Amino acid sequence: MNSNPELKAVVIQGGMGVGVSRYPLTRAVSLAGEKLGVPIMGTLSGTGIGPVVARILQNGDPGGHYQRAFEAFPNQKMAEHVWNTYYIEGGKAADKSYKPTPMVNFVLGQNVAELIICANFAEVWLGKQDHNRPIAINYLEKIQTPHLPELYGAMLAGVDVVIMGAGIPDQVPGVLDKFSRGQPASYLIDVDGKRLPENAMIFNPSVYTHVTQLKRPDFYAIVASNVLAKVLKVRQKNIGGVNGFIVENSKAGGHNAPPREKNQFNKRGEPVYGPKDEVNLKELANLNVPFWLAGAYADPQKIAEAIVAGASGIQAGSIFALCEESGLRDDLKRSIIKLAFEGKLDVISDPRCSPSGFPFNVVQLSDTISDPKVYGARLRICDIGYLRQAYRENDEGGVRFHCPAEPVKTYTKRGGRIEDTEGRVCLCNNLFAAAGLGQIRNGELEPAIVTLGHDWGFIRYLITNGNGRYTAENAITYLFGNQALKAAV
Ligand SMILES: Cc1cc2nc3c(=O)[nH]c(=O)nc-3n(C[C@H](O)[C@H](O)[C@H](O)COP(=O)(O)O)c2cc1C
């Protein structure tokens, strides 16, 4: 095991995609942690970071930050190629569309691999500037096709921890081990829901750089059950291993694991979670792997309780999604903070909207996709493609992809069932819009979708009126400013 005791954070600022926990947030968290002398770790979101960086470069790389990171990349020819493909001096005109980025297919294209490697490298490199705190990067297991170049890019910049959930991330420790030795690695993707040896994506680091040794980051798996934690621990016995668990409940922002009892919904159409969905913390502690609790824990008292229950601490997302340094579009942040302060905020756990099939928490906000009028008016299109699912047309055919949020006709022509298209949202395009990187189509900006957890009790401790703003440092001061917590830590 390669567990690094120095990485023991009490609070982990959770990874938030798409583009919500980018380097400005993670860096602010790390700097505030150092200044206040408190054990907190920032997490970047690596989800979709290739197309995110491609769009930032088309905005002219405001501040020149990515330019510095690209200049630090170990293969300058490759970095220049990616840079020249997307960078627009002064930024594109506001009414012009972003150039499309190539989709990630079963056979990894060189151009898309280079973009993903450079973007993950740049984000981690920037996240690590000006402080000595470890930082993590988060990915969703379900978005499998970009994982190899993503992990490699993040490791090239020395990421300290990889955090992954939304699926069974049992292949990741082995990949981290191989890349740390400069060796090629493979990743089995689910095709028609099955993981078979013939569906392995392959990645050879030596095609991209001459680096032969890299630090092996720690690996934390996000779990919602004792069974998954046990499976991950047992399967990883002889390789690099799982170094931590994030135990995420259904109150956490973003995607949640579906409940054990299927087809049970409340009056609002939300999936119902019951006692079977609760993780037994005593049993979990017996695995002797450190764990953190996530989902409505952004409260100093609750952090103290988590520690008393055997956890190393907690992971919090929503409190950081609404702070000044997060990548959430400012107008959306302002509206949500105001609604939360006035006690009028509503978040629905939507079992249908995510093409991944996992429940997704959606802030109910006018002019966003949660508004049925906005949803109905949007023309379906799939041009980012991160949530596509792999299938084979027949035994001899190659691996193809389809997304239940793409145009209905296209999806059914590609073998999808019409009933699977109902209520689906293009999380790719709509989350990019929420991060201020929305595509312009026919002169109109793509609508946004915003996710948040089900607890925002922290807001009244951080601001004094609905127009208030707060920083990551304010949030951290609040989280660590309790006597009970001081005693527990
Ligand atoms: C805006 C937002 C986006 C999120 N995106 C991701 C993600 O991409 N991957 C992930 O594993 N968790 C994601 N999460 C979950 C957080 O990392 C964290 O576990 C969760 O927010 C904790 O619950 P809390 O929101 O009550 O603090 C997201 C949460 C929020 C609020």
Side-chain angles (χ1 to χ4, degrees):
M1 289 276 175
N2 187 29
S3 208
N4 180 351
E6 284 166 19
L7 306 189
K8 266 294 190 67
V10 168
V11 174
I12 299 174
Q13 164 258 305
M16 295 178 283
V18 173
V20 176
S21 60
R22 281 186 36 240
Y23 81 86
L25 175 59
T26 301
R27 197 173 151 274
V29 165
S30 305
L31 289 171
E34 278 190 346
K35 180 177 162 195
L36 301 169
V38 293
I40 182 159
M41 179 173 72
T43 307
L44 298 160
S45 168
T47 300
I49 202 71
V52 163
V53 171
R55 290 188 180 187
I56 293 171
L57 298 190
Q58 289 169 78
N59 288 344
D61 183 26
H65 304 293
Y66 285 92
Q67 187 179 1
R68 284 194 302 135
F70 272 62
E71 282 168 2
F73 190 75
N75 176 347
Q76 275 305 292
K77 206 165 153 216
M78 176 173 145
E80 273 168 28
H81 178 233
V82 173
W83 185 267
N84 292 335
T85 306
Y86 295 103
Y87 178 68
I88 299 175
E89 200 172 343
K92 72 168 186 66
D95 61 347
K96 284 269 179 323
S97 302
Y98 289 108
K99 178 177 179 167
T101 41
M103 293 203 199
V104 196
N105 289 317
F106 184 61
V107 177
L108 199 60
Q110 177 100 5
N111 285 343
V112 73
E114 290 186 355
L115 168 64
I116 293 171
I117 295 167
C118 286
N120 280 271
F121 171 88
E123 205 62 28
V124 173
W125 190 89
L126 288 166
K128 286 181 83 71
Q129 293 305 299
D130 307 323
H131 64 86
N132 290 312
R133 286 292 168 106
I135 62 164
I137 194 159
N138 171 291
Y139 304 99
L140 299 173
E141 204 283 330
K142 278 233 166 193
I143 303 181
Q144 297 172 323
T145 50
H147 281 338
L148 294 169
E150 284 173 342
L151 292 167
Y152 184 61
M155 283 176 72
L156 279 173
V159 75
D160 301 282
V161 182
V162 169
I163 300 181
M164 203 187 286
I168 304 176
D170 58 342
Q171 303 181 70
V172 179
V175 173
L176 301 179
D177 291 346
K178 290 216 165 109
F179 285 168
S180 70
R181 300 190 290 259
Q183 294 168 345
S186 60
Y187 201 93
L188 296 179
I189 64 163
D190 300 334
V191 178
D192 294 312
K194 282 184 267 192
R195 223 179 253 191
L196 302 170
E198 62 263 35
N199 299 329
M201 288 186 76
I202 303 190
F203 181 93
N204 184 353
S206 68
V207 171
Y208 302 96
T209 76
H210 295 302
V211 180
T212 51
Q213 257 193 334
L214 289 169
K215 181 175 76 178
R216 197 276 195 191
D218 274 6
F219 175 60
Y220 297 174
I222 303 175
V223 298
S225 74
N226 290 94
V227 177
L228 179 56
K230 221 177 272 173
V231 165
L232 286 167
K233 165 89 194 253
V234 170
R235 279 195 200 158
Q236 308 306 329
K237 240 187 212 154
N238 298 317
I239 47 177
V242 177
N243 313 105
F245 291 118
I246 312 284
V247 184
E248 206 177 65
N249 65 35
S250 61
K251 292 189 187 134
H255 285 93
N256 300 136
R260 244 27 58 82
E261 293 278 351
K262 306 280 171 233
N263 302 321
Q264 307 258 11
F265 301 100
N266 67 17
K267 277 191 207 139
R268 284 153 51 99
E270 298 172 302
V272 176
Y273 291 82
K276 282 191 191 160
D277 298 298
E278 272 166 36
V279 171
N280 181 326
L281 298 183
K282 275 206 179 116
E283 226 177 84
L284 187 71
N286 288 338
L287 294 178
N288 285 321
V289 176
F291 64 90
W292 288 260
L293 305 183
Y297 280 93
D299 172 327
Q301 193 60 38
K302 291 198 73 178
I303 303 175
E305 286 165 19
I307 292 169
V308 169
S312 295
I314 63 113
Q315 173 171 280
S318 301
I319 189 171
F320 292 107
L322 298 178
C323 80
E324 284 293 286
E325 296 91 343
S326 99
L328 191 60
R329 218 171 69 198
D330 197 59
D331 60 315
L332 299 168
K333 222 184 269 178
R334 303 274 68 82
S335 307
I336 295 170
I337 287 180
K338 195 161 201 297
L339 287 170
F341 189 83
E342 291 168 355
K344 294 180 188 157
L345 186 61
D346 190 16
V347 176
I348 287 189
S349 168
D350 186 334
R352 292 286 317 164
C353 77
S354 173
S356 72
F358 281 44
F360 189 68
N361 293 299
V362 182
V363 176
Q364 305 300 295
L365 202 60
S366 56
D367 298 329
T368 68
I369 215 82
S370 67
D371 178 341
K373 268 193 268 147
V374 177
Y375 177 79
R378 181 182 181 270
L379 274 186
R380 283 178 173 237
I381 184 165
C382 178
D383 58 357
I384 298 177
Y386 266 65
L387 283 160
R388 293 175 307 156
Q389 294 147 11
Y391 70 102
R392 273 184 204 273
E393 255 170 353
N394 51 53
D395 287 348
E396 287 91 55
V399 175
R400 292 161 181 265
F401 293 89
H402 57 190
C403 177
E406 70 189 352
V408 176
K409 254 196 189 158
T410 316
Y411 184 67
T412 49
K413 223 162 76 190
R414 291 173 174 166
R417 298 182 317 164
I418 194 160
E419 54 272 33
D420 288 342
T421 63
E422 207 180 303
R424 300 294 186 198
V425 168
C426 178
L427 285 192
C428 293
N429 271 294
N430 301 146
L431 285 173
F432 269 72
L437 296 166
Q439 184 59 293
I440 306 283
R441 284 184 217 289
N442 307 320
E444 303 243 350
L445 179 64
E446 273 277 2
I449 188 167
V450 185
T451 182
L452 207 67
H454 291 260
D455 172 59
W456 43 89
F458 51 79
I459 209 83
R460 285 192 163 256
Y461 294 94
L462 292 167
I463 52 174
T464 51
N465 65 71
N467 297 320
R469 293 169 181 265
Y470 64 91
T471 62
E473 185 179 327
N474 299 145
I476 295 166
T477 305
Y478 162 67
L479 292 176
F480 282 94
N482 178 283
Q483 289 313 316
L485 174 58
K486 281 186 184 133
V489 174

